[in-house]
C-alpha cells in the first residue's frame, strides 16, 4: 500500500513554515509545532484559544495518572495502567479588542505565518487581525522551552496596531483546567493538593509564604499584592503567578509559576477560577507602535507521592519563586540558542540536492534532541515523545533498539540516562518477572514509571524483547564507550536479572534437544503465541552469552567467586547455567536456503500476497478480525531482519540477501519503524533503488503526515529510525562489529550529504558526494575504523575514498 | 490431584436427604436442592429468609440482561455480553411468632430435615422451632415446580404448634428486589415496565384490569379488594397477587402471579414496597392442630422487547389471571408427579450394590429432566442449568456433545428442540461469521440468545467446536431418528452455513498440500492459537463431507440443481468446494505410532509431568501466570480422545489404545467433563479399574461437592456426562456406527445395573449382572443391534448373553 505525502509546510533547510492557516491542519500543526526539552513538552496550539478542534496538550516527562483496566482475573494480567497526563497550560492567553475575542476559528485574519526555527527552537506565529469595525492589528506570538534550564519557558507577544489607537484586553495565566484529551477528564487538584499539608510543624517562613500563596491561588504581584486592581508604576512592571497542581491518584505535583512583563501603561485585574489563575490586563495601544508582553515560566515537578519528596519540592519551589526577579526572557532565550548551536555542531546532517529530505532530517534531529537529551535520570522516551497522548506516553523497546544508537553517537549522557532508567526500574521488572512466574527481571513492554502498562496480555506477557533490548542496549553502550564503570555498577546487575529471567522463561522441547522460548510474540506483532521465535532465541542466546562473558572477564581480572557472590549475588552454578542455556539455544536456521525461520513452523503457514490486499483494508487492525491477522505468513514489521540489523556482523551478506528477499515481500510495514530497517539493509545489499524507496517517507513521516495520524502526536521513535536510515543506511555505518565501519553510498537524486557522529570523545564528519566519501575527525584524536572492508586511522585531515560501484 | 468426596447428604435410592442443618453447607444445599422445569429454575434457599450467606436465585430460561465489556477495540471482539439474570422470588415468605423472626441463621431449631424426592420432584423441609419463650412449633415447607405446566409452581407451609395456642404472623408474596448475585445489582423495574403502555387504544376491559392492577402493584383479593385490611369470610379464603417486572436493558418481562389459600381465621394486610408485594397474615394457631397455607404461583414471560409480543403477553396474562380460581395445589402436584412417573419409566438407571452411585445417577437423571425436556423452542442448557449464576447462564458446545446424547435416548422432543435453538439462532451465527471475516455461520462458544457472549477473544474467535458441534448434533440426531423432515427443513440450512464458514475460515499451508485451521483453540483449552488442531480438522472434514453427502443424496433423490439452488441458495460449485476442502483436510496422524497429534507441532512441546505439579497449584488458572499454561504439552481436557469418542467407529482399538495411553497422562482433567470421557474409553480398552476410577465422582460430582464450588450451582453438563459414563462406558453403547451397539461390562463392586434407552420409538432395557447381560424391548417392536461384535434382533423377550472376560 502506497503511502502518500500530504505536502503542507513550506520547504526550507532550517525552518518549518506554515503560510496561511488551513483549519484542516490545525491539530496536525499542533503536533508538528510541538516544543519539548525532555523535561516537558507542549503542543503548538494557539495559546489565545481556538474554539474548533484542538488538543491543548502540555506534558511533563514522568508525570502520569492511573486508569483501571477491567481485569480478566488471570495471573500476570495487569489491573491498572498508567498514562502521561495532560497538565498545565502555562501559555494561557486571552485577547480581545472592542468586544471581539481573538479566536482563529472565528475572526478574520490574513498574512498568517507560523514558523519553527530548528536552529534556535523558537516558534513564532504572526498574522493581521481585521476586526469587524475595520481595525487592523498585527500580532506575533513567540515561545520557546529552554534547553539549558529545562524547567524554564518563555512566551512573548507583540501587538502592532496598524490603523488605530485603542485599548486591548489581554489575559495571561496558568491554567490547570484542561482535560486529558483521551479520557475527557481533568486529573488535577490545585487548592488542596499542596505539599506542605502534613509537614506544617516544620514550615519555615518561606514555605509558609508558598502555602499562603497556594491558598490564595498563588498570586503575587510585584511584592505589593493587591487583590482586585493593581497599582501600576511608571516603569515597566512585572507580575507573578504561582499555582500548584496535584494529580488525583498518583499524588505527583507540578508547580507552575510565571513572571509577566507588561508595559507600564497596563492595568491588571486578577482572574481566579478553580484550577486557573490569570491577570487580565488592559493595555493602551498606539498606532504603528509595537507593544510587547513577555512571560517567563518556571515549572517544577515532584514525581513521588512522598512526604520527604514533597518537602524537597517545597524548598525548590521557594528558591525559584524567590529568585523570580531574575527570570529574563532574552537571557534565557540566548542561553537556549547557545545550547542548540552546540548540538547542531555535533549532530547536523546536510543533504544537498534534496530540499525536502534536508528539512525532514533536520526536523528529526531537532525532535530527537527536544525529546530527550539526558537532563535527568528516571525518564524515558514515549512513543510519541511529549507531543500527544497516543500510546499514553509509554516507552517501548524502541528506546534501546531505535533511539539509543542516535544518542550513543550524538549525546552520551542521554544514552547513559536511558539505560539508567532501566537500572532504576529494575525492582519493578523483578516484580513483573515474579508475576509472570519467572525469576530475575522481566522488563515491561510499555511503561512510564517502570511498571507494565500494557493491558493486552498477548503483548505484555509474551514479548521478551523489552528485556533482551535492555541487554542489547547495555552491550552496545559498553562496546562503543568502554564505560566499564557503568557496566560493573549498573550493567551487570541488570544483565544478571535479565539472564535469570531468560533461563526460567525458556524450555526444552520434548526430547530435550532444543532450548528456546515457547508462547512468545517476537518483534513482528502479527505472529502471536509462537514457539522458537528466531529473534527471541537469538537475542536470548546473545544476552546469556554476554552475561557469561562479562562475568568470566571479572574472574579473569582477579575477582574471586566469593567476591562475585558478595557483589552481585550470583553463584557460579547460575553463571554456568546461563552458558548452558546459551549453548543449547535452538536457532531455526536452514543451511540449505540460508534462511532463518521466523519461528518454528513459520515456513509452513498459509501464504498471503500482501500486494493483493485492497488498500481500503488498511490499517488491518481496523478491517480484519483480530485473530485473522495472526493466521498466515504476513508480517507487520521486520523480525528476522531486525535481528540481522542489530547483530549485522554476525551474518554473511549472502544470508542477509536470502533473508531480505524472503521476508521483505511478506512485510506490510504497518509499523512506522519498518521501512527504515528495510532501507538500511537494502543499502547494504546494494539495492539502492529499493533503499531509497523505503527511505521515502522516513524523514518526513510527520511533516507530510504519511500515516494521517500526526494530529495525535509525532512518531518520535520513527524519527530516530530516520536518523539511522541515513547514517546506517546510506552511510553504511555499523557499530556491532570489531571496528566501527562504514560503506557509504549516495541516493541517485542527491548531490551530496554529510553527517557527524560522536565516537569515544571524537567528532567524526562523514561527507559523501557522487564520487567520493570523505572522513575527518573534527574534534579529538585518531580513530581506527573500517571503510569498505579496509581499516583506516582517521584524524583531522581529510581521508578521501572513491565510492565503489 | 485427587478429588475428595465431601459426603454430607444421606444415601437413599430415590431421595436426597439432609438431616440436621450445617450452615457451612447452606449455599451448597441451595444448589443441590434446586428445582427446575426447563422454563424456570429456583435454588433451594430458605424462603423465609436467611440472614447468613445465601444466594436467593430464581432464574428463567432465556431471561437475561446485558453488561458492557471493556472493548479492546479490535474487530470481532464483543463489546457487550449477556447473562441469565436473577429475578423474582415467588416463594417469598416471612414468619414471626411473639416478636421472634424465623431465620435459621439466628433461631434455635431441632430435628431439621430437608429432602428432595427424585420420584416426584417435591422438596420438603421440616424442623422444630424452639422460641426463647419456650414455645415449640413444627414447621414444614414444601415446594415444587410443575413439570406438566411449566409456568406453574406450588408452595405449601404447615405449622404445628406443639405446646401452645397463639397468633402467628406470616407474610407471603412476590419479591423482585433481589440483586443479581454476581453483580450485586437489581435489573428489574416493576411499576413503569408494563407492556400495555403503548397500546392503550386497543385495550379491552380485561387489559384495563391488568394495567389497573399493575398500577396498583397488582393486588387483587378475592375480587373484593380492600387496600388495608381484608374482610375475611368464614370459609377458607384465597388472596391473589400480581406483579410484572421488566428487565432494564433487554426489556423482557416476567409476570408473576399467585393465589394464596389461608385458613378462614386468618386476617391479612397488604404490604407494598418498590418491586415487592406481599400479604401479611395473622393466623390463629391451636396446639397440636396443623395449619396449612398454600400458594400456587404462575409465572409468565415475554422474551422479546417488541410491541406485538407485549400485546400477546398481556393477553396471556389476562387469561391466567382470570383463571386463577382454578389454581389448585394438589391437582397441579398430582399432574406433575404423573409426568415424573412416565419419565422414570423411560429413563431410570438401577445400580445394585452401590447405594451412593445409585443415588448419584438418579440425581443426575432427575437434574437432566429438570433442566431441559423440550417444553418450548428457543432455549438451551446453561453450563449450570438454572441453578446458579456462574458461566452467566450461557450454553456452550457441551450441549451437542454431552447433553444431546442423553436427550436423543430419553426425550426426542427435547433433543430436537436443542437443535432447533441452533436453527433459530442461525441468523445470529451468520452475523458472527461476518464479524469474524468468514462466510456462513460461526456459532457462539457461549450464548443465551444466540449472540456470542464470551468476551475472551481467544475463546470466542478461535474455538470452532461450537459450529462443528452443531453439525455433529444434526448428524447424530438424524442418524438415530431418521428425521428426514428435520434434516431437509432445518438441518441442511445449518449445515450449508456451517460448511461455508469452514471453507472460508480454513487455509492451505505454504505449499498447498494441507488444508486446515490456523490459529484455533481445540477442545483442550490449554493449547491456544495452534494450527491444524486434530479435533478441529477432523470435525471440519466430517462436517463438510456430511453436508456434501446430504446434498448428493438430495440429487440422487431427484432434486435438480436448480431446485437445490432455489430451496437452499447453494450452488453445485460451492458444494463441490465443500468436498474438495474435506478431501484436502490434513489430519496430523503418525502411522508408525498410531498417534494423532493434537496439533501440528504438539509432540515437540516441552513436557510437563502433571503428577509432579504440587496440589496447592490447582486450579492452575489461579496459580500459574496465564500464558504459562499454554507453553507445554499439558492438556486440560480430552481433545484427540474426545474426537475418538464422538466418532468412535472410525478408529481401531489399537489406535484408541495408543492415543489413550499417550494423552491421558498429559491431562489434568481441569474440566469437569474430562473424567467421564476417559472413563468411557478406558472401559472400551478393558482398563476396567481405570474406568471405575475415572467414573469415581462422575455421578456424585455435586452431591459430594468434589470441585468445592457446588455452592455456585450444579455442573449441569457434567451431569449429562455421568449418564454417558454408565450407558456408553459400562454399557459400552455406541451410536456412531452402522448399528447401535453395546459391549457391557460391570464394575467389580456392583452386583448389577440396568438402564433404559428410547431408540426409534422403542424402549430398550439393558440389564447387566456379574455374569450376563440381558437385552429386552420394553415398548415397541424389533430392533437390530450389535452386541460384542455380533448382530441381534431385540424384541420383547429377554436376550441373555454372557459377559466376556
Amino acid at each position: 500500500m502506497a503511502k502518500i505525502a500530504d505536502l503542507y509546510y513550506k520547504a526550507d533547510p532550517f525552518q518549518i513554515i506554515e503560510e496561511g492557516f488551513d483549519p484542516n491542519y490545525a491539530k496536525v500543526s499542533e503536533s508538528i509545532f510541538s516544543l519539548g526539552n525532555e523535561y516537558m513538552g507542549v503542543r503548538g496550539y494557539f495559546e489565545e484559544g481556538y474554539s474548533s478542534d484542538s488538543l491543548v496538550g502540555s506534558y511533563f516527562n514522568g508525570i502520569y495518572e492511573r486508569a483501571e483496566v477491567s481485569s480478566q482475573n488471570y495471573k500476570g494480567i495487569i489491573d491498572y495502567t498508567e498514562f502521561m497526563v495532560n497538565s498545565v497550560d502555562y501559555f494561557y492567553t486571552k485577547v480581545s479588542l472592542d468586544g471581539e475575542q481573538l479566536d482563529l476559528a472565528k475572526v478574520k485574519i490574513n498574512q498568517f505565518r507560523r514558523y519553527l526555527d530548528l536552529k534556535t527552537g523558537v516558534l513564532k506565529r504572526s498574522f493581521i487581525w481585521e476586526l469587524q469595525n475595520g481595525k487592523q492589528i498585527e500580532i506575533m506570538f513567540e515561545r520557546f522551552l529552554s534547553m539549558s534550564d529545562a524547567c524554564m519557558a518563555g512566551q512573548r507577544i507583540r501587538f502592532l496596531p496598524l490603523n488605530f489607537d485603542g485599548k486591548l484586553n489581554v489575559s495571561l495565566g496558568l491554567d490547570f483546567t484542561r482535560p486529558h484529551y483521551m479520557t475527557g477528564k481533568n486529573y488535577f487538584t490545585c487548592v488542596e493538593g499542596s505539599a506542605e499539608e502534613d509537614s506544617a510543624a516544620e514550615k519555615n517562613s518561606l514555605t509558609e509564604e508558598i502555602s499562603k500563596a497556594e491558598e490564595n491561588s498563588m498570586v503575587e504581584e510585584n511584592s505589593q499584592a493587591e487583590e482586585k486592581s493593581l497599582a501600576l508604576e511608571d516603569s515597566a512592571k512585572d507580575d507573578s503567578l504561582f499555582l500548584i497542581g496535584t494529580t488525583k491518584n498518583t499524588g505527583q505535583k507540578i508547580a507552575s509559576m510565571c513572571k509577566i512583563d507588561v508595559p507600564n501603561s497596563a492595568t491588571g485585574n486578577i482572574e481566579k477560577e478553580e484550577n486557573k489563575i490569570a491577570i487580565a490586563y488592559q493595555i493602551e495601544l498606539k498606532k504603528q507602535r509595537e507593544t510587547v508582553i513577555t512571560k517567563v515560566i518556571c515549572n517544577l515537578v515532584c514525581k513521588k507521592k512522598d512526604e520527604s519528596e514533597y518537602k524537597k519540592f517545597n524548598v525548590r519551589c521557594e528558591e525559584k519563586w524567590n529568585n523570580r526577579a531574575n527570570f529574563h526572557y532574552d537571557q534565557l532565550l540566548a542561553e537556549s540558542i547557545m545550547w542548540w548551536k552546540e548540538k547542531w555542531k555535533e549532530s547536523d546532517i546536510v543533504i544537498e540536492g534534496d530540499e525536502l529530505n534536508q528539512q525532514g532530517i533536520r526536523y528529526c534531529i531537532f525532535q530527537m534532541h527536544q525529546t530527550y537529551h539526558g537532563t535527568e535520570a528516571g525518564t524515558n522516551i514515549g512513543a510519541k515523545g511529549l507531543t500527544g497522548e497516543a500510546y499514553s506516553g509509554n516507552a517501548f523497546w524502541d528506546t534501546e533498539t531505535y533511539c539509543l544508537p542516535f544518542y550513543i553517537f550524538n549525546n552520551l549522557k542521554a544514552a547513559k540516562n536511558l539505560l539508567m532508567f532501566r537500572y532504576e526500574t529494575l525492582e519493578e521488572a523483578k516484580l513483573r518477572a515474579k508475576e509472570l512466574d519467572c525469576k530475575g527481571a522481566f522488563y515491561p513492554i510499555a511503561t512510564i514509571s517502570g511498571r507494565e502498562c500494557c493491558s493486552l496480555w498477548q503483548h505484555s506477557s509474551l514479548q521478551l524483547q523489552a528485556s533482551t533490548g535492555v541487554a542489547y542496549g547495555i552491550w552496545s553502550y559498553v562496546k562503543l564507550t568502554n564505560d566499564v564503570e557503568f557496566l560493573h555498577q549498573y550493567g551487570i546487575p541488570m544483565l544478571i536479572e535479565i539472564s535469570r529471567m531468560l533461563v526460567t522463561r525458556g524450555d526444552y522441547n520434548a526430547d530435550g534437544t532444543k532450548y528456546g522460548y515457547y508462547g512468545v510474540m517476537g518483534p513482528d506483532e502479527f505472529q502471536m503465541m509462537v514457539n522458537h521465535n528466531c529473534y527471541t532465541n537469538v537475542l536470548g542466546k546473545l544476552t546469556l552469552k554476554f552475561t557469561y562473558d562479562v562475568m568470566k572477564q571479572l574472574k579473569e581480572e582477579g575477582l574471586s567467586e566469593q567476591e562475585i557472590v558478595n557483589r552481585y549475588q550470583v553463584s557460579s552454578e547460575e553463571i554456568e547455567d546461563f552458558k548452558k542455556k546459551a549453548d543449547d539455544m535452538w536457532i531455526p536456521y536452514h543451511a540449505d536456503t540460508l534462511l532463518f525461520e521466523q519461528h518454528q513452523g513459520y515456513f509452513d503457514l498459509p501464504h498471503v500476497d500482501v500486494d493483493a490486499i485492497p488498500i481500503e483494508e488498511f490499517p488491518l487492525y481496523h478491517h480484519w478480525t483480530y485473530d485473522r491477522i495472526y493466521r498466515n505468513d504476513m508480517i507487520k514489521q521486520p523480525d528476522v531482519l531486525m535481528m540481522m540489523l542489530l547483530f549485522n556482523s554476525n551474518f554473511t551478506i549472502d544470508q542477509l540477501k536470502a533473508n531480505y528477499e524472503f521476508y521483505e515481500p511478506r512485510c506490510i510495514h504497518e509499523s512506522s519503524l519498518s521501512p527504515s530497517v528495510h532501507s538500511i539493509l537494502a543499502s547494504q545489499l546494494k539495492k539502492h533503488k529499493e533503499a531509497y524507496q523505503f527511505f521515502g517517507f522516513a524523514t518526513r513521516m510527520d511533516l507530510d503526515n504519511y500515516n494521517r495520524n500526526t494530529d495525535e502526536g509525532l512518531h518520535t521513535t520513527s524519527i530516530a529510525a530516520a536518523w539511522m536510515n541515513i547514517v546506517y543506511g546510506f552511510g553504511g555505518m555499523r557499530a556491532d562489529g570489531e571496528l566501527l565501519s562504514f560503506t557509504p553510498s549516495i541516493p541517485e537524486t542527491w548531490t551530496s550529504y554529510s553527517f557527524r557522529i560522536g565516537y569515544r570523545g571524537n567528532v567524526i564528519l562523514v561527507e559523501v558526494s557522487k564520487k567520493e566519501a570523505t572522513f575527518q575527525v573534527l574534534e579529538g584524536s585518531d580513530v581506527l575504523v573500517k571503510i569498505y572492508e579496509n581499516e583506516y586511522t582517521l584524524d583531522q585531515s581529510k581521508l578521501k575514498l572513491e565510492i565503489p560501484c
Side-chain angles (χ1 to χ4, degrees), chain A:
Chain A
M1 16 95 246
K3 301 212 179 197
I4 296 159
D6 187 14
L7 274 167
Y8 176 64
Y9 305 101
K10 217 185 140 191
D12 181 284
F14 255 116
Q15 295 204 81
I16 309 300
I17 303 165
E18 182 186 19
E19 276 186 345
F21 172 58
D22 182 342
N24 294 319
Y25 290 85
K27 271 172 73 187
V28 172
S29 289
E30 284 178 359
S31 298
I32 291 295
F33 293 114
S34 284
L35 296 180
N37 63 8
E38 173 180 326
Y39 177 79
M40 56 189 179
V42 62
R43 287 168 60 84
Y45 56 82
F46 297 160
E47 52 256 67
E48 73 277 17
Y50 179 68
S51 59
S52 191
D53 198 22
S54 172
L55 197 182
V56 178
S58 157
Y59 309 99
F60 287 82
N61 208 332
I63 298 292
Y64 57 88
E65 262 295 355
R66 291 202 181 102
E68 261 187 49
V69 170
S70 103
S71 170
Q72 294 175 326
N73 208 21
Y74 292 119
K75 193 162 177 265
I77 303 182
I78 65 165
D79 48 8
Y80 70 87
T81 186
E82 295 169 346
F83 57 91
M84 181 175 76
V85 65
N86 193 5
S87 67
V88 57
D89 173 15
Y90 41 84
F91 291 138
Y92 173 84
T93 305
K94 292 280 165 210
V95 178
S96 68
L97 188 61
D98 295 351
E100 202 171 324
Q101 183 81 32
L102 179 62
D103 173 353
L104 266 53
K106 291 177 177 167
V107 304
K108 188 179 173 195
I109 56 164
N110 57 53
Q111 295 180 40
F112 177 95
R113 186 179 154 90
R114 174 156 53 174
Y115 46 109
L116 171 62
D117 184 1
L118 305 175
K119 256 189 187 144
T120 61
V122 177
L123 174 64
K124 295 183 182 176
R125 174 167 54 103
S126 62
F127 51 85
I128 293 169
W129 178 14
E130 293 190 22
L131 280 89
Q132 286 172 350
N133 60 16
K135 290 184 184 173
Q136 294 185 346
I137 178 167
E138 190 179 311
I139 305 181
M140 177 188 278
F141 291 95
E142 178 180 304
R143 65 167 78 162
F144 71 96
L145 302 190
S146 170
M147 300 303 281
S148 45
D149 187 0
C151 64
M152 305 300 293
Q155 179 188 22
R156 180 149 59 187
I157 315 175
R158 297 170 194 267
F159 298 100
L160 179 65
L162 299 180
N163 58 358
F164 67 97
D165 293 345
K167 283 188 203 308
L168 180 83
N169 294 306
V170 190
S171 290
L172 293 113
L174 304 169
D175 180 5
F176 273 96
T177 67
R178 289 288 173 180
H180 189 70
Y181 192 81
M182 301 282 268
T183 62
K185 288 184 201 160
N186 179 285
Y187 293 88
F188 285 89
T189 311
C190 286
V191 179
E192 297 90 344
S194 63
E196 79 299 338
E197 281 184 345
D198 299 321
S199 56
E202 292 157 85
K203 272 190 295 190
N204 60 23
S205 61
L206 289 172
T207 53
E208 270 167 35
E209 185 186 331
I210 290 176
S211 63
K212 194 182 125 206
E214 279 178 18
E215 279 158 22
N216 295 317
S217 296
M218 286 296 161
V219 180
E220 277 272 338
E221 292 165 13
N222 223 8
S223 305
Q224 299 150 346
E226 262 192 62
E227 277 284 317
K228 286 296 159 196
S229 177
L230 302 175
L232 292 159
E233 310 298 313
D234 277 330
S235 60
K237 67 179 296 296
D238 65 276
D239 300 323
S240 305
L241 298 171
F242 187 178
L243 201 58
I244 296 183
T246 307
T247 52
K248 282 172 188 165
N249 300 307
T250 46
Q252 297 179 317
K253 289 177 183 290
I254 299 172
S256 191
M257 51 186 92
C258 67
K259 190 187 79 165
I260 303 166
D261 282 83
V262 289
N264 51 14
S265 61
T267 62
N269 280 296
I270 294 157
E271 287 176 335
K272 287 188 206 169
E273 285 175 39
E274 199 182 339
N275 285 14
K276 181 154 90 180
I277 179 138
I279 304 175
Y281 294 99
Q282 197 169 64
I283 294 173
E284 297 288 342
L285 297 181
K286 294 281 169 200
K287 187 168 142 185
Q288 292 292 348
R289 293 250 314 262
E290 192 177 68
T291 297
V292 179
I293 299 176
T294 62
K295 182 172 161 192
V296 176
I297 301 121
C298 171
N299 293 313
L300 297 176
V301 300
C302 178
K303 293 186 186 172
K304 269 196 190 150
K305 188 179 183 175
D306 175 281
E307 265 321 300
S308 70
E309 292 293 323
Y310 284 172
K311 276 184 210 163
K312 284 186 226 161
F313 171 69
N314 275 358
V315 172
R316 282 190 291 129
C317 287
E318 277 169 56
E319 283 170 8
K320 279 288 184 184
W321 181 242
N322 292 335
N323 188 42
R324 67 192 182 280
N326 297 317
F327 290 0
H328 299 300
Y329 186 94
D330 288 318
Q331 186 189 333
L332 202 63
L333 178 56
E335 287 163 3
S336 188
I337 291 173
M338 275 304 294
W339 190 98
W340 276 115
K341 201 174 168 188
E342 279 304 304
K343 274 290 162 272
W344 284 116
K345 212 166 77 183
E346 296 161 6
S347 317
D348 193 19
I349 291 180
V350 180
I351 300 174
E352 279 177 18
D354 188 340
E355 200 179 15
L356 287 174
N357 276 315
Q358 172 66 82
Q359 182 185 42
I361 191 61
R362 285 215 174 101
Y363 183 71
C364 292
I365 294 166
F366 177 78
Q367 287 298 343
M368 287 305 289
H369 287 306
Q370 280 213 131
T371 303
Y372 202 84
H373 51 265
T375 298
E376 59 172 16
T379 54
N380 204 320
I381 300 173
K384 299 264 167 195
L386 301 159
T387 68
E389 298 173 12
Y391 296 101
S392 298
N394 283 182
F396 295 78
W397 66 293
D398 312 4
T399 294
E400 281 79 11
T401 46
Y402 291 95
C403 299
L404 194 63
F406 174 84
Y407 292 109
I408 288 180
F409 291 104
N410 288 284
N411 183 340
L412 266 187
K413 189 183 163 206
K416 186 174 168 186
N417 265 17
L418 285 173
L419 293 173
M420 284 306 293
F421 174 87
R422 301 299 189 182
Y423 179 75
E424 283 153 19
T425 57
L426 180 57
E427 285 309 310
E428 276 286 358
K430 285 165 75 177
L431 288 173
R432 180 69 188 149
K434 217 168 172 183
E435 278 175 19
L436 293 174
D437 290 351
C438 297
K439 290 186 180 163
F442 196 109
Y443 277 94
I445 198 70
T447 193
I448 295 180
S449 70
R451 199 179 179 280
E452 179 60 76
C453 285
C454 178
S455 62
L456 299 170
W457 65 266
Q458 55 272 40
H459 293 255
S460 55
S461 301
L462 307 187
Q463 295 193 302
L464 275 65
Q465 51 267 36
S467 303
T468 55
V470 172
Y472 174 78
I474 297 167
W475 175 78
S476 302
Y477 174 80
V478 171
K479 183 179 178 58
L480 291 167
T481 62
N482 275 335
D483 188 346
V484 175
E485 198 186 315
F486 170 85
L487 176 66
H488 287 181
Q489 197 169 349
Y490 307 111
I492 290 177
M494 289 191 269
L495 288 171
I496 289 172
E497 298 297 352
I498 294 167
S499 295
R500 274 188 179 133
M501 182 277 285
L502 289 171
V503 297
T504 48
R505 178 59 167 77
D507 267 307
Y508 284 94
N509 69 329
D511 67 9
T513 55
K514 299 170 189 159
Y515 187 78
Y517 300 95
Y518 289 82
V520 298
M521 181 192 271
D524 167 30
E525 297 188 337
F526 278 4
Q527 299 291 337
M528 186 203 297
M529 287 289 277
V530 300
N531 303 328
H532 295 295
N533 167 258
C534 183
Y535 178 98
T536 307
N537 280 14
V538 166
L539 272 276
K541 182 188 182 81
L542 295 178
T543 299
L544 290 168
K545 193 170 176 311
F546 178 47
T547 307
Y548 175 80
D549 288 345
V550 164
M551 300 313 286
K552 198 172 131 201
Q553 177 72 19
L554 284 184
K555 271 194 202 167
E556 286 168 7
E557 285 165 9
L559 231 60
S560 73
E561 273 192 27
Q562 193 52 50
E563 281 168 320
I564 289 176
V565 170
N566 293 347
R567 196 181 293 174
Y568 298 116
Q569 289 80 50
V570 63
S571 68
S572 34
E573 292 73 33
E574 229 181 332
I575 295 168
E576 284 305 317
D577 189 40
F578 297 164
K579 179 167 187 302
K580 178 170 168 43
K581 299 290 162 59
D583 290 344
D584 291 352
M585 193 75 69
W586 183 63
I587 309 302
Y589 177 64
H590 299 254
D592 51 341
T593 56
L594 307 181
L595 289 178
F596 291 90
E597 189 165 9
Q598 186 169 312
H599 64 257
Q600 189 179 25
Y602 172 86
F603 287 161
D604 200 34
L605 287 178
H607 179 60
V608 163
D609 179 0
V610 299
D611 296 324
I613 301 172
I615 189 148
E616 59 271 18
E617 293 188 9
F618 291 93
L620 291 181
Y621 277 128
H622 297 175
H623 298 90
W624 283 28
T625 186
Y626 186 61
D627 61 294
R628 181 179 165 203
I629 288 170
Y630 303 100
R631 292 196 251 119
N632 49 62
D633 68 349
M634 174 176 61
I635 65 179
K636 181 185 174 193
Q637 64 213 92
D639 195 287
V640 165
L641 295 182
M642 184 72 198
M643 166 191 90
M644 298 186 101
L645 173 60
L646 295 185
F647 294 100
N648 197 258
S649 65
N650 291 19
F651 307 101
T652 67
I653 197 80
D654 290 339
Q655 283 177 322
L656 184 66
K657 183 166 184 288
N659 285 278
Y660 181 94
E661 287 174 358
F662 182 84
Y663 285 106
E664 193 289 313
R666 286 165 172 78
C667 183
I668 67 159
H669 307 289
E670 195 146 306
S671 160
S672 59
L673 301 163
S674 184
S676 286
V677 173
H678 285 87
S679 179
I680 293 167
L681 298 178
S683 278
Q684 187 175 355
L685 294 167
K686 303 196 196 306
K687 296 172 182 282
H688 294 304
K689 223 172 207 158
E690 215 163 316
Y692 193 70
Q693 270 165 4
F694 279 123
F695 172 70
F697 54 87
T699 62
R700 296 186 61 86
M701 172 167 290
D702 286 313
L703 284 179
D704 296 341
N705 196 9
Y706 274 96
N707 282 5
R708 301 299 188 263
N709 61 358
T710 294
D711 56 333
E712 296 176 358
L714 303 179
H715 295 79
T716 304
T717 42
S718 298
I719 277 170
W723 176 87
M724 285 183 79
N725 210 148
I726 291 181
V727 176
Y728 283 67
F730 304 131
M733 185 173 86
R734 292 294 182 273
D736 63 290
E738 285 296 305
L739 288 177
L740 191 66
S741 66
F742 301 87
T743 54
S745 61
I746 184 166
E748 240 181 51
T749 56
W750 294 4
T751 310
S752 73
Y753 68 98
S754 70
F755 59 89
R756 288 145 197 250
I757 54 158
Y759 178 62
R760 299 196 173 167
N762 315 295
V763 176
I764 302 172
L765 171 68
V766 180
E767 295 174 295
V768 186
S769 65
K770 285 286 180 204
K771 297 274 173 206
E772 61 191 10
T774 310
F775 294 81
Q776 184 183 12
V777 176
L778 290 184
E779 286 174 25
S781 56
D782 297 358
V783 185
L784 183 66
V785 299
K786 196 167 108 181
I787 306 169
Y788 302 130
E789 305 304 317
N790 297 314
E791 292 182 13
Y792 299 92
T793 301
L794 302 182
D795 56 28
Q796 302 215 354
S797 66
K798 292 195 172 188
L799 170 71
K800 290 192 188 221
L801 295 169
E802 206 172 310
I803 296 178
C805 291

